[in-house]
Structures are given as C-alpha cells and as structure tokens.
Amino acid sequence: MPDTTPSFLLQILILLGSATLLVTLFYRLRIPSLLGFILVGIVFGPTGLHLIADPTELHIIAELGLVFLLFSLGLEFSLPRLIALRNTVFKLGAAQVIICSAAFFCAFYSWGLAWQTALLVSGALSLSSTAIVSRELSRAGQLHTRHGQIAIGILLFQDIVAVFLIAAVPILSGDLSPTASLYQLAWLIIKSCALFISLLWIGRYLLPKLLIEIARVHSDELLVLAAVVIVLAAGSLTSALGLGMELGAFFAGMMLGEGRFRHQLEANIRPFRDVLLGLFFISIGMLVDVALLQEYWLRIILCGALLMLFKATIIAGAARLMGEPLRIAVPSGIALAQGGEFLFALLALATRDHLIPADVAAFLISVTLVSMALTPPFIRHSMPWIERVFGQAKKSNPPEMPSITAQEAAHLNQHVIILGFGRVGQTIARFLRALNIPYLALDKDIARIVETNIEDKSIFYGDPTRLEILKSSGIERAALLVISFDHPILAEHILHQVRELCPDLPVLARTRDDSVLDDLLAAGASEVVPETLEASFMLVFHVLLLLNVPTEKIHEVIQQARRDRYRML
C-alpha cells in the first residue's frame, strides 16, 4: 500500500500555515499565542489527525528554538537589575521555588516516580510563565506596582533555576544513584561557573571588537550571520562539555547583554527564535494524548485549578512572611500561579532522554495549559476584588535613575528615545544627562558611537527604522521620541511605524528646512524643527537686538513668525 504521509516540507508548511491562522485568532481573543501553537500540535500530532506519526525530525529542528530563546533570555538578563531586586529575587524567589519543589517532590515520589523524575518534575512545576505574566501585567498597567515588581523579581530567580534544570537533564537521565547524581550536579555547577567566566571574558574583550568590525561593513546580513554563529558556537561548546546547548546559548546572551549591540542582536535573532519556538511549542503539543484529554478532562481541569491555588497560596504566604501586606501578597501569588513555558522545555528534553514517561508528560502538559489559559483573565479581573477586600494598593513609582547603565536601559520608563547620535543627538543627550532625565540613544554608525562618548552606557548600536528595535528600546513606555537626524524619507517611515504602535507618544522630528514640514506632520510628528529656519530666527533676533529693538518686542515678533510658519498641532 503506498505511503500517503506528506513529505516533511509539506508537513512543516501545514503546521505553520495552521498556526498562523490560529495564532491570529488567539491574538484577537487575547489568548497567549503559545497556546495556539500547542493546540496545532495536539490537532495534527500522533494522537490527533496523525499528520506526523513520528515527530523526531521536528523535535531536532524545534530544539533550536529553545536554544535561541535562552540566548534572548541571556541578553535580557540584567545583573544590575538582579542586584537592585536582590531581596525579592533571592529571598522570595528562593523561598517560592524551594517550598513548591519540596511539596511537589514529596507528592510525586510518593506517587511512585523515580527520584530523578520527581526532582525534575517538581522543579519544573515550581516555575511560572515569564511571557504571560510580564505581558498581562503590562497590559493591566500593573507592571510597576509593588506586586508587579515582586512578580518580576521571582521570575528572575525562576529563569536562573530553569537554565540549570535544563542543563541537568542529561545527568538526571543517567542510571545513577542519588549520591553519584548529586556529585555530577556539583561538577556541573563547577564547569558552568568556569565556562561562564571564560565566556564573559571573551564577550567583554574579544566579541565587541569583532562586532565593531562587522558593523563597519554596514551589512545587516553579516551581522545576522554573526549572531547565529555566536549562538551556535557557544551552544556547541557547552554541548561538547556535556552541559547542553541551551546553557551555552544563555551564557552567550549574558556576555553580550551589557554591550552596545544588545538591541540589534536581539532584533536579528528574533525571526529565527520566533519561527523555531513556534515549531518547538507545536512539538510540545504532539506530546499531548487526545484520548487522555477525552478521558480525564475533568481531572485535568481540577488539577490545573489546584496547581494555581497551591502556588498562589505559597507565593502569597511567602510574601506575607517577608512583610508585604495582603493587598500586595495576594496579587503577587495570583500573577505567578500558573505553570511556565520552561516546563514544556524540560518535559520535552526529559521525554527525549526517557527520564519521564510519555503519559506523565502528557498529563502535566495538559494541566499546565489549563493554568496558563486561566491566568490572563485572573490577572485582568482580580485587582478590583482584591482592592475591595484588602484596600487600595498604592502604585510605586519607578526609582529615579540619575545614571543609566546599559542593562537598566532595557527597563526604562518615561524616558526619552533619541534616534541618531550625531551632533544634534549628542547635544540633546548632554542636556538630558545634566538634568538626570533618563534616555536611550540609537545609532547605526558604530564609529560615531565608539568615538563620541564611549563612557555613556545609554547609547546602543541599532537600526532605528526597524520596529522590533524600537520595541526593544521600550518605546511603549517612553515619554518622548526624538528623530535627530535629517533624512525625511526614513523619518516618515519611522513615524508611520511609531503611530501604529504608540498613537499618543509625542514625537519631535528634526529637518534641515521647512520643505518637508507638512509631510512629517501628516506622518504623525507632534512637532517638527527645521534647523535652517531656526537659525534664521536666531540671526533675526541678533539683528534686531543690535538695532536696539526691545527684547520683549523681538520675542513677540519671532514667536508670531514661528507660529505662522510652523502651524503647530
């Protein structure tokens, strides 16, 4: 009988096409997109429509998505931010992970799972979803409240734990005694620290010079290629040492996260990461047994609700013991009550290495999906009830940042974004710096960045015309955007993108003369400053001053001329 299974390329096309349609629908319904990818995997997997009977080839490609995800996580990993939130991260974060893991370990070990399996599963279930929590807190305007800061601090600690759990999977999958495995885990930590120090030295002293030379060529393709090579090279190195590619990718991100190329590298990697992560989550969905869902759907929903209740109680209780009031502790627990995407990664790797039975993995994935689906409405609608019961929570303002470091720049609020760091951009930055106003500057000329102000850690290499780089600079949280370079076509392109993303953001644009003033205003500029016209006004000011015209009269005349000429919004 002829084989009717579609070719691998056709399978990928069907999966990605279906995911595109479903994720588009999920965005409209404000449902996390990763649930759409997982649902595609469930529908077309071995227990669904059987489009892919053996997803081994898909798993091989999809695991690269996990590698790029950890690289992006490393880029965003902020040591200064970790230090600033050290009490929340290391006290609350450690307490939450240890208590949850211990309780889950006792439950699963009593259930009959091997100690290695119980240890990995308990650690995985203690993690929450960074993507869902940060996005929903941001949408609800709760990201910079006290409970939002607590949630982000705990997530930082969980991210560190997740990296080492992923690296520990190959060790735990071996047939070892507890003593031998603990010895190997200790050896893993020693090797990881040594590798991290080595990669940190390379990232601080060698890679910046290489990237500067690549940037001088002004080739986006070459920089993309360099980013991919760095990720895969670091991953291959750690894989050769028995630590897994994921740990190497994370370290590679960390060593480049404090450099000026952070935003551009993140933007270059994002297309690879997003597509491969989509395939990764589709492959996770293929682990779910449809028959299991049909038979135990009520038990799965109940376990998902119990998981959220247990984690919310543990986190709220820990926060309360740390001195937080109930109106802060309870929403912190609700925000982090779900399972996380790293649980999927850990279960996929553990299933591949035969550490976890497929039916157990399918059940845990199903329970986690339930908790993820319940999280967005819980975060969005729980605060009014909490405020009614425990009182109005005071929003905490972001701390003042008189000196902005490269890592803090990724988490600015009410800052100024300067596009272009020529003479105009440098002048603006100088005055902002003197007034302790936070700012972030983007420029694509690496020579200008290196030669002008090498000590300023708020200046980044990046193409300001790319929407993803504008997003990574925190444009949705900015107070003002300044287009300081004179290029009307590029300025219009940027304005159209900014207006789609942030309709209310004030945008100040500079141009050489007033010939394109109306075009820039129509494109969305709040104000346009033609430097030639302003120079002529300044010249008129001095002419009239030398002719002994009163200063008040000069100001009145020039302001009237400026209003008539600019026709401000």
Side-chain angles (χ1 to χ4, degrees), residues 83-145:
I83 294 172
L85 295 172
R86 58 187 176 275
N87 287 333
T88 302
V89 173
F90 294 108
K91 290 182 180 178
L92 267 177
Q96 180 266 322
V97 170
I98 291 172
I99 295 173
C100 287
S101 298
F104 288 134
F105 178 83
C106 293
F108 285 111
Y109 190 68
S110 302
W111 190 26
L113 294 181
W115 73 268
Q116 298 98 324
T117 305
L119 180 64
L120 186 64
V121 171
S122 60
L125 282 174
S126 69
L127 307 178
S128 304
S129 174
T130 303
I132 293 177
V133 173
S134 59
R135 185 187 61 192
E136 292 302 325
L137 287 176
S138 178
R139 282 180 174 177
Q142 301 172 20
L143 195 59
H144 299 289
T145 59

Side-chain angles (χ1 to χ4, degrees), residues 216 444-452:
R216 292 186 195 277
K444 202 176 178 182
D445 189 339
I446 188 63
R448 178 181 295 160
I449 293 174
V450 172
E451 294 170 6
T452 51

Side-chain angles (χ1 to χ4, degrees), residues 263-562:
H263 295 286
Q264 187 73 35
L265 288 171
E266 187 176 14
N268 289 342
I269 287 295
R270 184 173 289 124
F272 298 95
R273 184 196 68 189
D274 291 347
V275 173
L276 292 171
L277 266 182
L279 290 174
F280 175 75
F281 287 122
I282 288 173
S283 69
I284 293 297
M286 292 182 180
L287 296 176
V288 177
D289 191 336
V290 175
L292 185 74
L293 288 177
Q294 292 174 341
E295 185 175 357
Y296 297 107
W297 64 270
L298 184 59
R299 186 180 301 179
I300 289 171
I301 294 175
L302 179 61
C303 288
L306 288 175
L307 171 67
M308 295 188 70
L309 179 62
F310 176 76
K311 290 184 70 174
T313 303
I314 292 298
I315 295 169
R320 188 71 186 91
L321 290 175
M322 297 292 178
E324 299 291 344
L326 281 173
R327 70 171 185 269
I328 302 298
V330 172
S332 302
I334 292 175
L336 298 172
Q338 75 294 131
E341 53 270 359
F342 277 112
L343 177 135
F344 300 144
L346 287 164
L347 292 182
L349 297 175
T351 305
R352 178 200 65 187
D353 293 347
H354 308 290
L355 182 60
I356 294 178
D359 57 342
V360 175
F363 183 80
L364 293 174
I365 290 171
S366 303
V367 169
T368 303
L369 289 176
V370 170
S371 68
M372 285 182 160
L374 293 175
T375 296
F378 269 54
I379 291 178
R380 286 197 294 266
H381 302 301
S382 62
M383 281 308 297
W385 293 95
I386 292 171
E387 290 171 358
R388 186 176 303 175
V389 174
F390 300 112
Q392 182 76 25
K394 296 180 180 180
K395 291 186 178 181
S396 58
N397 296 321
E400 293 184 4
M401 289 177 281
S403 166
I404 310 301
T405 66
Q407 288 297 328
E408 289 170 330
H411 308 288
L412 289 176
N413 287 278
Q414 295 302 302
H415 57 295
V416 178
I417 299 176
I418 304 172
L419 303 185
F421 203 67
R423 56 186 176 83
V424 176
Q426 292 172 39
T427 302
I428 296 171
R430 190 178 304 117
F431 280 90
L432 294 176
R433 190 162 54 248
L435 295 172
N436 290 336
I437 298 174
Y439 70 90
L440 183 148
L442 291 171
D443 199 293
K444 202 176 178 182
D445 189 339
I446 188 63
R448 178 181 295 160
I449 293 174
V450 172
E451 294 170 6
T452 51
N453 198 344
I454 196 167
E455 297 301 322
D456 193 338
K457 301 300 184 181
S458 297
I459 308 166
F460 293 91
Y461 175 86
D463 185 352
T465 64
R466 294 179 60 176
L467 183 60
E468 59 267 28
I469 292 182
L470 292 176
K471 287 182 179 179
S472 68
S473 67
I475 190 171
E476 294 166 315
R477 307 183 303 275
L480 174 68
L481 177 73
V482 180
I483 304 175
S484 70
F485 53 82
D486 176 35
H487 197 307
I489 296 176
L490 291 182
E492 281 192 53
H493 175 70
I494 292 171
L495 285 167
H496 287 304
Q497 294 190 94
V498 170
R499 284 300 165 233
E500 290 182 5
L501 186 65
C502 304
D504 300 324
L505 176 67
V507 180
L508 179 65
R510 164 220 171 187
T511 182
R512 186 170 298 278
D513 53 46
D514 62 344
S515 60
V516 294
L517 186 147
D518 292 334
D519 294 335
L520 292 178
L521 289 175
S526 305
E527 190 170 334
V528 181
V529 180
E531 59 181 27
T532 303
L533 188 61
E534 284 298 321
S536 66
F537 284 153
M538 183 60 67
L539 185 60
V540 169
F541 178 88
H542 286 284
V543 168
L544 297 178
L545 192 65
L546 291 174
L547 293 174
N548 297 319
V549 177
T551 305
E552 294 80 4
K553 182 64 175 178
I554 297 174
H555 280 297
E556 181 183 344
V557 170
I558 290 180
Q559 287 300 329
Q560 183 61 44
R562 184 180 282 117

Side-chain angles (χ1 to χ4, degrees), residues 28 48 194 441 568:
R28 291 184 179 273
M568 291 297 182

Side-chain angles (χ1 to χ4, degrees), residues 67-81:
V67 171
F68 285 112
L69 172 64
L70 287 178
F71 176 73
S72 299
L73 182 64
L75 285 175
E76 297 171 1
F77 191 81
S78 167
L79 288 176
R81 191 183 185 200

